[in-house]
Amino acid sequence: MNLSVGDFELLKDEELVEQAREGERRALEILLKRYQAFIYNVAWKMVANPQDAEDVMQEVIIKVITNLSRFEGRSAFRTWIYRITINHMLSMKKQNLEQRVSDFPDHQQALANIPDRSMTAAEEIEMAEYIEEVKIRCMSAVLLCLNREQRLVYIVGDLLKLNHNMGAELFEISKDNFRQRLARARKDLYSYLNRQCGLVNKDNPCRCSKKTRHMVENGQVDKNSLQFNLKTRKKFFEIAQERYSEAFGRIEEEYDKLYGGHPYKEELDVKVIHEILKDVEIQQLFNLN
């Protein structure tokens, strides 16, 4: 089929799958790019580190490519690739931060080890970008205190707002069971935040601003390389609204606002996909042209 890149962009997933199986490199690349952001951002929330998330994304993409011949079309391709993503993240080896933060007491102790350094109102304005970095980094680490299944259920159910039918299908459980698991994850997460976090409960002494100066001065936050720069990225609830409008209502709870406001990286470097498609075994698998 003699199609331009623009023509390939208009094809449905299943049509791109067929073209990829016939050795059309552009079809495979476009197919992977459609889901790259989903894979990366789920990985990012799962492991709380951008570099580790890129490694996980690459592992998932390779799994998708090597298993593409097994896609039978019994479910939507989106569901199929989401399920591969979920299954990989449930079974992959523990990443760096997962090994260091395994439960809520671990996280609480890590925070206690960071000295409090109060700021004036003017200093808080001056360092607002770094305070935001510390806040999101801390709350991402809190997610690591949930076990992997709870974390994934929370990410797809609350951050990405996939509806319960989709959630149940991805985890291969009943809709009621998915709801129950999501409720348990919320309860564990919110209970800890209510006891620890000053953003949730004003009576709690822990404040992001008090931890920021020490973390910046000690290099724990790199001024020149912020991981969560909100100026250049959308937020999770904005992506959820755009892609799953049928699944969510107005976000009202403070917990949802805190996590829904985390950055969602849409513009990803496609060099990972390009490098994977250069692999000789991958090229031979599809006879790519």
Side-chain angles (χ1 to χ4, degrees), residues 45 132 135-136 159 228 230 233-238 251 254-264:
K45 288 288 94 179
E132 184 71 10
K135 181 187 83 173
I136 297 175
L159 293 189
F228 304 106
L230 292 178
R233 299 187 178 111
K234 290 190 175 182
K235 301 176 183 179
F236 264 89
F237 66 73
E238 292 171 350
I251 299 173
E254 291 302 313
Y255 303 104
D256 282 342
K257 289 179 182 177
L258 288 171
Y259 278 107
H262 281 204
Y264 183 100

Side-chain angles (χ1 to χ4, degrees), residues 133-164:
E133 176 83 4
V134 168
K135 181 187 83 173
I136 297 175
R137 183 178 295 193
C138 177
M139 295 196 66
S140 295
V142 172
L143 283 180
L144 296 178
C145 301
L146 299 172
N147 66 47
R148 277 188 171 175
E149 184 188 72
Q150 284 184 310
R151 218 180 310 156
L152 271 171
V153 166
Y154 185 78
I155 291 167
V156 303
D158 266 12
L159 293 189
L160 291 170
K161 300 295 177 184
L162 295 185
N163 64 45
H164 292 172

Side-chain angles (χ1 to χ4, degrees), residues 105-106 115 178 219 248:
D106 275 353
F178 179 80
F248 81 55

Side-chain angles (χ1 to χ4, degrees), residues 11-135:
L11 294 179
K12 296 179 180 179
D13 288 348
E14 289 72 17
E15 293 171 318
L16 289 172
V17 170
E18 290 305 313
Q19 289 292 310
R21 285 171 172 170
E22 292 174 8
E24 180 52 68
R25 181 192 182 99
R26 289 173 297 177
L28 182 56
E29 186 172 328
I30 290 169
L31 190 65
L32 296 173
K33 283 171 64 178
R34 283 184 182 175
Y35 294 97
Q36 185 183 15
F38 173 87
I39 297 168
Y40 174 83
N41 284 287
V42 173
W44 195 15
K45 288 288 94 179
M46 277 295 291
V47 302
N49 178 275
Q51 289 73 40
D52 288 344
E54 286 188 9
D55 291 340
V56 172
M57 177 185 68
Q58 183 170 334
E59 292 167 2
V60 172
I61 288 174
I62 290 173
K63 273 192 177 179
V64 169
I65 292 172
T66 55
N67 285 281
L68 196 59
S69 62
R70 300 180 186 178
F71 174 66
E72 299 176 346
R74 295 179 181 176
S75 61
F77 181 79
R78 183 182 77 168
T79 304
W80 184 80
I81 198 171
Y82 283 8
R83 188 178 289 133
I84 288 178
T85 303
I86 297 297
N87 289 339
H88 178 80
M89 293 185 193
L90 286 173
S91 61
M92 67 185 178
K93 67 179 182 181
K94 280 194 171 184
Q95 305 298 309
N96 294 322
L97 288 177
E98 283 187 299
Q99 296 174 5
R100 288 158 48 190
V101 181
S102 60
D103 55 27
F104 293 113
D106 275 353
H107 185 268
Q108 188 172 11
Q109 185 58 53
L111 281 178
N113 291 339
I114 301 173
D116 286 345
R117 300 276 297 278
S118 296
M119 296 186 194
T120 65
E123 287 173 328
E124 288 193 17
I125 293 173
E126 182 182 352
M127 298 191 71
E129 192 171 14
Y130 308 127
I131 294 171
E132 184 71 10
E133 176 83 4
V134 168
K135 181 187 83 173

Side-chain angles (χ1 to χ4, degrees), residues 200-216:
V200 172
N201 186 338
K202 304 302 182 186
D203 293 332
N204 291 325
C206 188
R207 294 288 187 279
C208 306
S209 59
K210 291 182 179 180
K211 305 295 183 182
T212 299
R213 186 179 295 281
H214 176 84
M215 292 179 72
V216 169

